[in-house]
Amino acid sequence: MKFEQIAFKLWRLARSSPRHFMARLIAKPPHELREEQERLFTSIGLSRADGENFIHNSVRETMDLHMGTSEHYLLFAALAASGYSPSKILEIGTFDGVFARFLGSVFPKTQITTLDLPLEEGFDNEYGRKAANSYVLERATNLKASPNVKLIERNSVALTTETKWRFDAIWVDGDHGYPVATIDITNSIRLLNPGGYLMVDDVYLRVEDPDEKLRSLSAYQTLCALVSAGIIGDFHLIRKRLTPEHNLPWREKYIAIAQKPNTSQ
């Protein structure tokens, strides 16, 4: 590691430690985070409790739901519990295939397409995946368990030229930085059927140490721009996780939910 990098890390640690200590003293307790999240679900016409029950009673795999579980599992389960039955779902960013497998269980009659970066385009350098072969094997095992899930190895930016695909719901969980996150979100709006749902993972409202792939304001700013342009009516945010340490000011992030207007764009 270069001297400049070491010096920067030490400076950042010295600058942030007192503030982090104070923030931990005022962090919201788990029960407050849960109550707030339940209200956020209600505001978008869903029940978080129904989502939990749906997972326990209807999902093929046993899930260990805890406060650190990403809330997108509950979000999609709550949609299913509400009676929502999409014909086609797109997931951008397969990773290890666990969530695609979950979607296959929650929506067994839905055609699910999951899109991930091809090996030759740097799969092993994305999201800390240094052992590409083991990830490919794990992904294949998970996807094989869901016959209604189809993997397509394709750079999501290439969806810019896609004219035939249409989906009822799209889950965006690929590159979180600019410009790819912006491209993924705008392409998703175009590929959604009228009334379709757009869900976006890892939305930051503030970022102290931006990272071109994992931490940026790209998703939030893009959604705001779409609202300002009248492309979508509005979007809603729920917390990504409900543990206090994940909701400190410098760590908190959200999941965005938007719906494409019922009139064609």
Side-chain angles (χ1 to χ4, degrees):
M1 183 180 292
K2 294 181 179 179
F3 173 77
E4 292 84 356
Q5 292 175 311
I6 296 174
F8 175 73
K9 287 181 177 294
L10 291 174
W11 171 80
R12 187 172 61 180
L13 179 62
R15 175 179 64 95
S16 61
S17 292
R19 181 194 54 195
H20 289 187
F21 175 76
M22 290 301 297
R24 290 182 189 279
L25 293 178
I26 61 173
K28 289 184 178 180
H31 73 274
E32 285 190 16
L33 291 168
R34 184 184 178 98
E35 290 170 0
E36 176 188 293
Q37 189 80 321
E38 289 170 349
R39 291 193 295 270
L40 292 172
F41 268 70
T42 300
S43 72
I44 55 177
L46 298 174
S47 167
R48 188 178 182 278
D50 286 351
E52 285 185 304
N53 291 331
F54 187 90
I55 289 174
H56 288 308
N57 298 327
S58 304
V59 176
R60 291 195 301 264
E61 299 90 23
T62 300
M63 277 197 66
D64 178 23
L65 290 176
H66 51 80
M67 300 300 281
T69 301
S70 176
E71 290 284 296
H72 68 287
Y73 286 90
L74 275 300
L75 174 62
F76 277 87
L79 276 169
S82 74
Y84 181 64
S85 181
S87 296
K88 294 182 179 181
I89 292 177
L90 172 65
E91 176 188 42
I92 297 177
T94 312
F95 191 47
D96 56 12
V98 169
F99 186 62
R101 178 176 177 172
F102 174 81
L103 285 176
S105 293
V106 172
F107 300 105
K109 296 181 180 180
T110 300
Q111 180 183 330
I112 297 165
T113 301
T114 182
L115 204 69
D116 211 10
L117 200 64
L119 283 172
E120 61 271 17
E121 291 191 33
F123 172 96
D124 54 334
N125 294 322
E126 299 296 318
Y127 204 61
R129 297 181 286 197
K130 299 199 177 175
N133 290 336
S134 63
Y135 273 106
V136 169
L137 179 61
E138 182 179 6
R139 183 180 67 182
T141 301
N142 282 318
L143 298 182
K144 187 177 180 181
S146 296
N148 57 325
V149 176
K150 179 181 180 181
L151 169 68
I152 295 180
E153 293 184 75
R154 183 181 183 187
N155 191 319
S156 63
V157 174
L159 293 177
T160 303
T161 60
E162 179 59 58
T163 59
K164 297 181 179 179
W165 287 6
R166 289 295 181 271
F167 299 93
D168 301 302
I170 299 179
W171 169 241
V172 178
D173 188 17
D175 195 317
H176 299 326
Y178 180 85
V180 178
T182 294
I183 294 171
D184 285 347
I185 291 170
T186 52
N187 279 336
S188 294
I189 290 293
R190 181 175 56 82
L191 295 175
L192 277 173
N193 286 320
Y197 285 100
L198 168 69
M199 278 78 82
V200 184
D201 197 25
D202 291 341
V203 177
Y204 286 89
L205 307 189
R206 53 178 285 185
V207 178
E208 294 186 1
D209 299 306
D211 179 285
E212 64 180 18
K213 293 193 177 296
L214 300 178
R215 296 183 302 276
S216 82
L217 296 175
S218 180
Y220 180 68
Q221 292 175 337
T222 300
L223 290 165
C224 289
L226 290 169
V227 171
S228 296
I231 305 299
I232 57 176
D234 201 356
F235 64 93
H236 301 271
L237 298 171
I238 63 172
R239 290 188 180 276
K240 166 78 172 179
R241 290 186 173 87
L242 301 186
T243 51
E245 61 268 25
H246 284 106
N247 288 283
L248 295 170
W250 66 95
R251 290 194 68 186
E252 60 183 357
K253 53 186 176 180
Y254 298 83
I255 296 165
I257 306 101
Q259 194 168 16
K260 184 171 181 176
N262 278 305
T263 55
S264 59
Q265 298 298 314

